[in-house]
């Protein structure tokens, strides 16, 4: 991704906008997780209820450091062994670091430190994690092309970052760090 596209995406994010970008398997919608108006707009675009919660993506573990405090050495080792990579972990958030719009009705936060170059570049340049949810209306198939993103959302998005999807055929795995259960294969 060149600097012009990165700067356009950052301008949109810092202005409370919602962007679309390629991820490991599908196109994602993202925004600043600490901007309540941006979260509300993203949920309206998706027609998704807030109680379900959203995923955060980060470029490295330092971007989610408040969530890592209080984890056991084994839990930290498990995260480090799978990241960067296509595994989303449900991490307990007892201090309420993530806003309610991100957590939904849950006491944990879904987080992935991505290996996708566009996601990593966006998060690194933004200086923190971003919301990442599939680019589709609720109950519709996730977008697997920029054309499908435009079909779903047209001019409703503030920016669409160009790039190619990763090699995964379906959305990333979701695992619960506390129970070790696989939530989504």
């Amino acid at each position: 991704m060149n600097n012009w596209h990165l700067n356009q995406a950052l301008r949109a994010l810092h202005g409370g906008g919602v962007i679309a970008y390629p991820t490991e398997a599908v196109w994602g919608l993202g925004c600043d997780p600490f901007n309540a108006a941006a979260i509300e707009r993203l949920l309206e675009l998706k027609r998704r209820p807030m109680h379900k919660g959203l995923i955060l993506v980060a470029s490295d573990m330092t971007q989610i450091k408040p969530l890592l405090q209080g984890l056991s050495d084994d839990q930290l080792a498990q995260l480090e062994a799978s990241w960067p990579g296509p595994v989303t972990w449900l991490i307990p958030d007892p201090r309420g670091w993530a806003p309610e719009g991100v957590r939904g009705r849950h006491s944990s936060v879904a987080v992935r430190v991505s290996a996708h170059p566009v996601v990593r570049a966006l998060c690194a340049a933004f200086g923190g994690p971003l919301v990442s949810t599939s680019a589709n209306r609720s109950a519709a198939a996730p977008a697997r092309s920029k054309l499908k993103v435009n079909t779903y959302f047209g001019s409703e998005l503030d920016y669409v970052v160009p790039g190619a999807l990763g090699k995964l055929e379906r959305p990333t795995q979701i695992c619960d760090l506390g129970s070790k259960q696989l939530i989504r294969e």
Side-chain angles (χ1 to χ4, degrees):
M1 170 173 47
N2 68 36
N3 283 339
W4 189 85
H5 291 295
L6 185 59
N7 288 334
Q8 295 299 328
L10 290 174
R11 183 173 294 124
L13 290 166
H14 288 297
V18 176
I19 65 170
Y21 51 91
T23 72
E24 294 89 341
V26 299
W27 279 75
L29 294 181
C31 67
D32 178 348
F34 298 100
N35 182 321
I39 296 255
E40 187 176 319
R41 184 158 166 252
L42 181 142
L43 292 170
E44 286 173 8
L45 284 169
K46 276 190 69 83
R47 298 181 185 134
R48 179 184 175 93
M50 186 175 79
H51 73 267
K52 287 188 172 186
L54 297 162
I55 293 174
L56 294 179
V57 288
S59 61
D60 59 60
M61 288 176 66
T62 62
Q63 292 190 329
I64 57 158
K65 191 173 183 177
L67 284 176
L68 305 179
Q69 296 169 354
L71 295 182
S72 71
D73 289 344
D74 287 344
Q75 288 172 319
L76 287 170
Q78 201 161 18
L79 295 177
E80 289 170 351
S82 65
W83 286 343
V87 179
T88 299
W89 287 97
L90 299 179
I91 301 175
D93 187 13
R95 294 175 192 87
W97 173 74
E100 183 184 0
V102 173
R103 278 192 329 272
R105 66 175 176 214
H106 309 285
S107 60
S108 59
V109 182
V111 182
R112 179 172 70 256
V113 174
S114 180
H116 192 282
V118 171
V119 175
R120 288 178 71 94
L122 282 170
C123 292
F126 184 69
L130 294 172
V131 166
S132 186
T133 184
S134 58
N136 59 293
R137 308 275 190 203
S138 286
R144 290 194 45 90
S145 70
K146 188 176 175 184
L147 176 62
K148 195 64 166 177
V149 171
N150 289 328
T151 300
Y152 282 151
F153 300 106
S155 62
E156 294 178 273
L157 298 174
D158 296 289
Y159 194 66
V160 179
V161 179
L165 293 178
K167 304 286 188 230
L168 290 183
E169 293 297 316
R170 57 187 202 197
T172 60
Q173 253 185 18
I174 299 178
C175 300
D176 187 305
L177 188 62
S179 70
K180 310 288 191 252
Q181 286 186 313
L182 186 60
I183 306 300
R184 178 177 76 191
E185 265 189 83

